[in-house]
Amino acid sequence: MSNRIISPVGARFVGQSVQRKEDRRLVTGHGQYVDDIKVPGALHAAFLRSDVARGRITKLDVSAAREAPGVHGVYTWQDFHEQFGEAYHVMMGEALVVPPPLAIMDVRHVGDPIALVVADDRYLAEDALELIELELEVDQAVVDYRTAADDSDNVVHAGWGLPSNVMVAMPFMPLAPDLDEAFASAAHVVETLVDQNRYNCVPMEGRGIVATWNQGRGEMDIIASTQSVHETRNFFARYLDIPEGNIRVTARDVGGGFGQKMFVFREECAIVLAARAVRGTVKWIEDRRENLIASGHSRNESGTVRVAVADDLTITAMSVDHVADVGAYPPCPAVLDPTLLTGPYRIPRMGFSMSMVWTNTMGKVAYRGPWMFETTAREIAIDATARAIGVDPVELRRKNLLSFDELPYTSAAQREMVEITPLETLDQALEMLDYEGFRREQEAARAEGRLLGVGVSVYVEPTSMDAPSLHTEGATVRVEASGKVVAYLGTTSHGQSIETTMAQIVADTLGVAYDDVIVVQADTQSTPYGPGTGGSRTAVLAGGAAQRATESLREKVVAIAAHMLEASGDDLEIADSTISVKGTPSKSVTLFEVAKLAYRQAHTLPADVDSSLEATVRFRPTRFPTWSNATHICVVEIDRVTWRPTILRYIVSEDCGRMINPMVVEGQIFGGVAQGIGGVLYENFVYDNEGTPLTTTFMDYLLPTAAEMPHIEIGHLETVSTTNPGGFKGLGEGGAIGSHACVTNAVSDALAPFGIVVTKTPLGPNDIFELVRAAGHA
Amino acid sequence: MHEVALTVNGTNMRIEVEPRMTLADALRDRCDLTGTHLACEHGVCGSCTISVDGRAVRSCLMFAVQADGADVMTIEGLANGEELHPVQKAFQAEHGLQCGFCTPGFVMSVTKFLETTPDPTDDQIRDGISGNLCRCTGYQGIVRAVKRAAAELNGQS
């Protein structure tokens, strides 16, 4: 595959694991997360939240709280209801309205904010919460999304006058005229119910916002833990009905997001309104309980997958009937992207139905690969299908996976698959494991009574996805008076190493040192608009913008240098911040000398030479999405006494195109895989039948620790993308997308001697014990 | 209000705190040392780990008044001027952090761990840092960082 790997000419930084610009401040404790930023005179906020999942407010008396020491304001819906305007995000559309900042007449999930106290500090604010008199008449909560659609007695949004719990229901749609015939005539049709549990983003830094209202200027200044400063600004411009230019949103360091912080939350709306009410600064830093019960959940969806297979193992058709729990107030309800169901496979026919159902639980948020269920459903179903028809799941995949050589391939859903390597990554991953060798080892282990299993998962990731509002990114790149370079980007990093990777691109494109490039982002008053950092967009879009803007800047540098050197621009080259005549290195000027002339002696330039050393570009890729792909394989052993599963090996073969920084690429994969492993084996967000959350601390909601995480082995293929000038692809979400099915399939394979096919998660020791007991083996 | 006298990163300090104020909040709000982060405030995640009288402590589980007379070191006190501590250097070199929010707690825990376990095996490292949660790295870069730091510290001694 070497013919598809770019060897960047003259690249010194792109492709290298250069050390991160972000790290020095972060390892010394000098990061500036939102709670680290001290605004003099700031007041602190705390929310009174519902302890019941569904009920009507019969009494809400905040008068005692208003008199409590240090309290500056106590707010309920009555205080806010005429204080705001439109509340929607462009990406999600005007129809999906952010719910009211505080509950109006009723509560719809545990954690629903009812009142807001603003006080001198958080301790005093929480003291005052205890003085609020609240009475609720409790109604039967809707908790199980599988039965919610048929429950017309208990309706989550009855308060809006809605008759049912169904948010969206799309009837079955065949994407091939002969789909029914294909199923009817197939040698094998296997139906699998894939059921994925509820788990959460859980960034280590929760949500937080500091809002300051400047009464004199009519300005709102917001510092937020967000994935998008610009969309936060645009949202609040509509919400407060003031010009965008009167709102400044910044973020310095953001402690993880994973999708959760892509959109403005109702609590943040309340804080902004409170800041305007007190004509000052209000700060809200949520605690972990709030983050776990009220920031939003993800996954919790299921699908019945049907796979039709011919005698020669060709998959002739696939369909899914999908149901997702979107909670009460979903900032980002999952949308099954049917084009992804067939993923990297040659499956000529497909069909799907989908529904999204409201429940009295926290709302659904985006989580690293919001479209992962398509992969989860397909990959678990393929293993179950292989088991049912008695073939090795790798054999079934090999027969049906696309390979690079047969591309482009148009899928049943009319998506053009290009520049991907599904079969090739499978082969690489199998070789890294020594699959045949493992199967022999497994046979021997099984003879000794050990439960050893292998799981495979293959997927494509639609990076830089095709959502109209996400089609562009901007960059402004400037040579400063000192000859150093600043790149202003529309991104909002929350751990993606953007300062580093974008500086690598700028440094190479201009011909300067990595250390001479500063990246500025996450400030609406200085950076070009960007819709947000998410959806594995940054490498493709911000990378493209940074490169194109730097190319444009380079032309300006060359034009000035050509005048200074009395040479043709075509004869010049730039390296190490020095512009010289090709072949005559002694004839040169430094970038500082160019800057000196441009900033101080522009009058010496001819009229047709632009003295500006700044370029702005809004970049749009040539095609959407930019596909990347990978294969995951893992080996699991289950203890026969405790039923605890342990991952013995975890292998990823991935193709994210040309790598900007291999260390960063691998870090993204490690972290994504950890979240998938966590979701299957450790993390499970649980509500009881009344809708009360039971996993509200880290003692109950278990994140994987270093003791549980396996060492991950990674193989790389680099099929260059042609959607962007650098040949990059995104990869931020893939680790999380592929790992859920991979681990599930490995557990299933380990339990195969008991005749157990695993299609449901979570898979903690107790879940596995129950499966084994149900099968009559424990 | 109670007056608490303590040494923080080598500086003698007197602060006024309510009895209920945690040491973590006191360090962040009274001492303006915001490198100590709070990610759970119930003693599980380890983000607020600091050194109190030479031992690793979760500062969210300790009241400031309990630190009267104590010798405290936070992440801000670990580097020697501009020269990073070997553990800090190793986290950078081995990509032991991404968003960086949990990093101060990890660095402080690892520093203490290597004092008692100077030549750890991989299993000992994973066990030794299992009291700290990270959501970004999958711990792989952190494990590498601990190994690198151990090697550098052993080379120094």
Side-chain angles (χ1 to χ4, degrees):
Chain A
M1 252 171 290
S2 60
N3 60 325
R4 294 200 299 275
I5 298 175
I6 274 189
S7 296
V9 178
R12 295 181 307 147
F13 302 111
V14 170
Q16 304 297 317
S17 294
V18 302
Q19 295 210 350
R20 298 204 318 163
K21 287 180 177 287
E22 294 88 344
D23 286 348
R24 188 174 177 91
R25 66 176 185 267
L26 301 179
V27 299
T28 55
H30 294 109
Q32 287 179 290
Y33 303 89
V34 60
D35 194 24
D36 301 336
I37 296 168
K38 307 290 180 191
V39 178
L43 303 174
H44 298 257
F47 287 95
L48 176 72
R49 295 180 181 277
S50 176
D51 286 333
V52 303
R54 182 162 173 253
R56 280 156 290 158
I57 299 169
T58 53
K59 180 181 182 186
L60 178 59
D61 182 351
V62 300
S63 52
R66 284 196 168 123
E67 302 304 318
V71 169
H72 291 252
V74 181
Y75 305 94
T76 68
W77 168 249
Q78 293 301 323
D79 303 294
F80 285 159
H81 78 287
E82 286 177 338
Q83 302 294 313
F84 60 90
E86 295 177 308
Y88 69 90
H89 294 94
V90 168
M91 183 182 160
M92 302 310 296
E94 295 178 30
L96 189 71
V97 174
V98 175
L102 296 167
I104 303 175
M105 311 269 289
D106 62 335
V107 293
R108 302 184 190 180
H109 67 95
V110 169
D112 206 339
I114 298 168
L116 171 65
V117 173
V118 173
D120 283 331
D121 65 36
R122 171 92 184 201
Y123 288 76
L124 293 170
E126 290 189 22
D127 287 346
L129 288 183
E130 295 182 10
L131 300 174
I132 295 175
E133 291 183 46
L134 170 70
E135 288 174 15
L136 290 161
E137 201 168 296
V138 179
D139 293 320
Q140 176 60 49
V142 180
V143 183
D144 186 349
Y145 75 98
R146 297 166 192 84
T147 56
D150 297 324
D151 188 347
S152 53
D153 295 332
N154 303 294
V155 174
V156 173
H157 292 304
W160 292 346
L162 296 179
S164 92
N165 291 313
V166 178
M167 182 185 190
V168 171
M170 286 180 65
F172 190 84
M173 186 187 296
L175 294 183
D178 56 348
L179 185 69
D180 287 345
E181 291 90 319
F183 277 111
S185 63
H188 312 274
V189 175
V190 180
E191 187 171 297
T192 306
L193 175 62
V194 178
D195 189 327
Q196 186 174 11
N197 56 304
R198 179 191 285 108
Y199 50 103
N200 298 10
C201 298
V202 198
M204 292 312 293
E205 182 200 34
R207 296 174 296 167
I209 183 170
V210 182
T212 302
W213 176 249
N214 183 320
Q215 178 70 13
R217 289 176 174 267
E219 287 176 354
M220 184 67 76
D221 187 287
I222 294 170
I223 305 163
S225 185
T226 178
Q227 295 175 219
S228 176
V229 291
H230 292 280
E231 274 303 304
T232 300
R233 181 189 72 149
N234 291 0
F235 175 91
F236 279 115
R238 294 186 291 269
Y239 196 75
L240 300 173
D241 194 21
I242 60 177
E244 287 93 338
N246 280 10
I247 303 180
R248 182 184 193 181
V249 182
T250 54
R252 298 295 285 184
D253 295 302
V254 176
F258 311 113
Q260 183 180 90
K261 299 171 182 173
M262 195 68 180
F263 304 110
V264 173
F265 282 92
R266 55 196 306 210
E267 288 94 336
E268 294 162 329
C269 295
I271 298 303
V272 165
L273 294 175
R276 197 167 60 174
V278 300
R279 298 185 176 184
T281 300
V282 178
K283 179 180 201 172
W284 172 61
I285 305 298
E286 77 174 351
D287 63 25
R288 183 54 60 187
R289 180 173 183 274
E290 291 181 286
N291 182 262
L292 284 170
I293 70 168
S295 68
H297 75 105
S298 288
R299 320 308 186 204
N300 213 36
E301 45 202 313
S302 59
T304 301
V305 183
R306 296 174 78 215
V307 184
V309 188
D311 274 329
D312 68 350
L313 298 184
T314 302
I315 298 176
T316 56
M318 183 179 280
S319 71
V320 65
D321 295 289
H322 174 240
V323 189
D325 178 359
V326 300
Y329 296 116
C332 184
V335 180
L336 182 92
D337 182 345
T339 65
L340 295 173
L341 178 68
T342 56
Y345 292 84
R346 204 185 304 103
I347 300 175
R349 299 169 194 85
M350 69 161 283
F352 73 99
S353 72
M354 56 176 289
S355 59
M356 295 185 264
V357 182
W358 283 302
T359 59
N360 290 112
T361 63
M362 62 182 148
K364 183 158 201 154
V365 291
Y367 183 15
R368 205 169 195 169
W371 39 79
M372 81 173 286
F373 187 73
E374 295 80 337
T375 288
T376 299
R378 178 191 65 245
E379 291 303 308
I380 290 175
I382 283 180
D383 267 43
T385 302
R387 183 87 72 83
I389 62 181
V391 299
D392 190 292
V394 164
E395 191 185 349
L396 184 57
R397 285 189 174 85
R398 283 186 139 283
K399 178 76 183 175
N400 293 283
L401 274 173
L402 293 166
S403 70
F404 179 84
D405 294 332
E406 65 189 288
L407 304 179
Y409 172 82
T410 304
S411 75
Q414 299 303 308
R415 298 302 292 267
E416 190 178 60
M417 312 303 296
V418 291
E419 297 163 0
I420 55 171
T421 50
L423 188 61
E424 291 80 358
T425 57
L426 177 68
D427 283 342
Q428 186 182 56
L430 292 171
E431 192 183 322
M432 288 166 73
L433 174 66
D434 180 13
Y435 188 73
E436 299 305 323
F438 171 78
R439 284 297 189 193
R440 287 191 296 274
E441 182 191 335
Q442 182 187 42
E443 203 179 323
R446 281 178 173 166
E448 297 168 15
R450 287 168 60 202
L451 299 175
L452 202 58
V454 63
V456 178
S457 170
V458 189
Y459 64 88
V460 286
E461 184 183 353
T463 78
S464 172
M465 66 170 164
D466 190 8
S469 69
L470 303 182
H471 270 205
T472 68
E473 276 289 339
T476 295
V477 186
R478 185 159 76 210
V479 175
E480 300 285 3
S482 63
K484 308 261 183 183
V485 180
V486 182
Y488 297 88
L489 302 177
T491 50
T492 305
S493 178
H494 42 291
Q496 290 82 359
S497 316
I498 292 172
E499 290 170 50
T500 298
T501 52
M502 296 301 118
Q504 292 177 260
I505 293 170
V506 171
D508 275 353
T509 307
L510 189 56
V512 301
Y514 169 70
D515 287 343
D516 283 351
V517 182
I518 302 291
V519 172
V520 174
Q521 59 181 334
D523 180 352
T524 57
Q525 298 300 66
S526 63
T527 63
Y529 170 79
T533 296
S536 302
R537 307 176 63 245
T538 303
V540 172
L541 281 141
Q547 181 160 341
R548 286 291 186 234
T550 310
E551 286 167 0
S552 176
L553 172 63
R554 188 182 184 283
E555 287 176 20
K556 296 183 178 197
V557 169
V558 165
I560 296 173
H563 165 74
M564 295 168 77
L565 293 167
E566 296 178 340
S568 160
D570 295 339
D571 295 334
L572 300 183
E573 60 188 4
I574 309 180
D576 297 329
S577 293
T578 301
I579 305 96
S580 57
V581 178
K582 289 174 198 162
T584 316
S586 60
K587 206 174 170 192
S588 66
V589 290
T590 65
L591 193 54
F592 172 60
E593 287 164 334
V594 170
K596 205 166 153 183
L597 185 140
Y599 281 91
R600 305 184 206 181
Q601 296 140 8
H603 66 284
T604 65
L605 284 171
D608 62 343
V609 176
D610 185 357
S611 73
S612 156
L613 286 179
E614 177 175 312
T616 296
V617 162
R618 181 145 288 276
F619 173 71
R620 187 157 54 126
T622 56
R623 191 173 63 241
F624 292 91
T626 299
W627 297 109
S628 65
N629 67 280
T631 295
H632 291 207
I633 297 185
C634 78
V635 173
V636 166
E637 178 155 19
I638 297 171
D639 185 283
R640 291 202 62 154
V641 176
T642 64
W643 304 105
R644 182 188 164 182
T646 302
I647 298 175
L648 302 180
R649 288 189 72 183
Y650 202 106
I651 293 162
V652 177
S653 168
E654 68 80 36
D655 186 340
C656 70
R658 184 180 171 200
M659 288 189 284
I660 304 171
N661 185 320
M663 176 184 82
V664 170
V665 166
E666 296 193 349
Q668 288 291 316
I669 295 168
F670 299 149
V673 169
Q675 288 178 317
I677 290 173
V680 178
L681 300 184
Y682 307 104
E683 300 173 43
N684 188 31
F685 197 89
V686 182
Y687 286 93
D688 71 8
N689 293 335
E690 274 80 51
T692 303
L694 303 180
T695 44
T696 64
T697 73
F698 281 159
M699 296 292 280
D700 312 295
Y701 188 87
L702 304 178
L703 299 184
T705 77
E708 286 85 48
M709 272 300 294
H711 175 82
I712 297 167
E713 305 156 59
I714 299 179
H716 298 286
L717 298 177
E718 290 188 84
T719 307
V720 167
S721 170
T722 55
T723 66
N724 63 99
F728 311 132
K729 303 172 180 176
L731 73 351
E733 290 153 300
I737 292 169
S739 44
H740 182 281
C742 180
V743 176
T744 304
N745 287 341
V747 171
S748 189
D749 188 50
L751 297 175
F754 298 146
I756 296 169
V757 181
V758 181
T759 65
K760 184 176 177 184
T761 59
L763 293 168
N766 200 52
D767 305 295
I768 292 173
F769 169 69
E770 292 297 343
L771 285 170
V772 176
R773 185 163 67 173
H777 292 279
Chain B
M1 285 291 195
H2 288 254
E3 189 179 87
V4 175
L6 70 173
T7 305
V8 183
N9 301 330
T11 303
N12 295 324
M13 290 190 172
R14 282 179 187 279
I15 55 174
E16 293 265 318
V17 295
E18 279 193 78
R20 63 177 174 173
M21 180 174 257
T22 64
L23 180 56
D25 281 349
L27 290 167
R28 293 178 53 80
D29 294 338
R30 297 288 190 270
C31 306
D32 284 330
L33 294 168
T34 56
T36 299
H37 293 153
L38 293 164
C40 78
E41 295 178 271
H42 50 258
V44 180
C45 77
S47 291
C48 65
T49 304
I50 59 171
S51 166
V52 177
D53 294 330
R55 296 171 59 189
V57 161
R58 283 156 203 251
S59 57
C60 77
L61 291 186
M62 187 170 169
F63 291 113
V65 291
Q66 293 174 285
D68 193 32
D71 184 6
V72 170
M73 185 194 277
T74 69
I75 185 71
E76 289 94 338
L78 195 59
N80 182 10
E82 288 300 299
E83 176 67 16
L84 297 183
H85 186 277
V87 173
Q88 292 170 313
K89 276 193 272 191
F91 267 69
Q92 176 164 25
E94 297 292 352
H95 199 29
L97 64 153
Q98 288 179 29
C99 86
F101 193 80
C102 70
T103 307
F106 264 99
V107 168
M108 295 306 288
S109 292
V110 168
T111 304
K112 291 293 154 194
F113 168 70
L114 290 177
E115 285 175 12
T116 53
T117 319
D119 196 12
T121 63
D122 277 17
D123 282 349
Q124 284 176 313
I125 292 171
R126 287 185 177 272
D127 186 53
I129 61 174
S130 65
N132 288 69
L133 297 177
C134 170
R135 194 57 163 165
C136 293
T137 64
Y139 304 100
Q140 197 144 325
I142 298 176
V143 171
R144 286 194 311 242
V146 179
K147 274 194 246 185
R148 174 187 280 254
E152 188 176 338
L153 286 162
N154 291 337
Q156 280 177 0
S157 57

